[in-house]
């Protein structure tokens, strides 16, 4: 529950979702502001240039780097760019034993 925000009367909520990653791009560094995944040739969109015409990955998987203590990625992250790749299956309500 890394990104679970505030609570309501001591209760927390999160969605358990099924996500289709399809053909993911794997990375261990931040790509802030990425509006769509890189192309299969490894090109990232640059606002100064026109985007390339290569096929694109379907998602991005950011692997945590335990060796870098300053890394903001302490947990594995899955990023999708098409809402049809995600199905929020359950809304889970819980309380934490220790806050």
């Amino acid at each position: 529950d890394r990104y679970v925000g505030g609570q309501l009367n001591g209760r927390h909520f999160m969605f358990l979702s099924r996500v289709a990653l399809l053909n993911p791009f794997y990375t261990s560094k931040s790509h802030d502001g990425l509006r769509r995944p890189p192309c299969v040739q490894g090109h990232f969109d640059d606002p100064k240039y026109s985007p390339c015409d290569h096929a694109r990955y379907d998602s991005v998987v950011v692997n945590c780097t335990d060796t870098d203590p300053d890394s903001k990625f302490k947990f594995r992250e899955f990023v999708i760019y098409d809402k049809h790749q995600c199905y929020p299956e359950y809304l889970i309500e819980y309380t934490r034993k220790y806050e």
Side-chain angles (χ1 to χ4, degrees):
D1 65 350
R2 168 82 168 130
Y3 301 110
V4 173
Q7 56 181 326
L8 180 62
N9 298 327
R11 299 176 299 164
H12 296 272
F13 299 89
M14 78 166 79
F15 282 103
L16 176 67
S17 301
R18 290 183 185 260
V19 179
L21 297 176
L22 304 171
N23 183 20
F25 173 76
Y26 292 95
T27 185
S28 60
K29 59 184 180 175
S30 174
H31 295 284
D32 291 340
L34 200 61
R35 296 285 183 211
R36 60 185 188 158
C39 77
V40 294
Q41 299 293 322
H43 304 135
F44 292 89
D45 290 344
D46 188 330
K48 298 180 226 165
Y49 305 103
S50 297
C52 67
D53 292 330
H54 300 122
R56 300 221 163 245
Y57 286 99
D58 299 299
S59 58
V60 173
V61 176
V62 182
N63 290 309
C64 60
T65 54
D66 294 334
T67 57
D68 182 3
D70 297 325
S71 175
K72 68 179 186 176
F73 297 109
K74 303 295 183 198
F75 302 92
R76 199 168 191 201
E77 296 185 7
F78 303 90
V79 182
I80 57 170
Y81 296 87
D82 182 348
K83 65 182 180 183
H84 297 103
Q85 288 176 243
C86 179
Y87 176 73
E89 193 163 7
Y90 297 101
L91 173 61
I92 300 171
E93 175 186 339
Y94 64 99
T95 57
R96 291 184 180 149
K97 189 170 184 177
Y98 303 102
E99 289 279 342

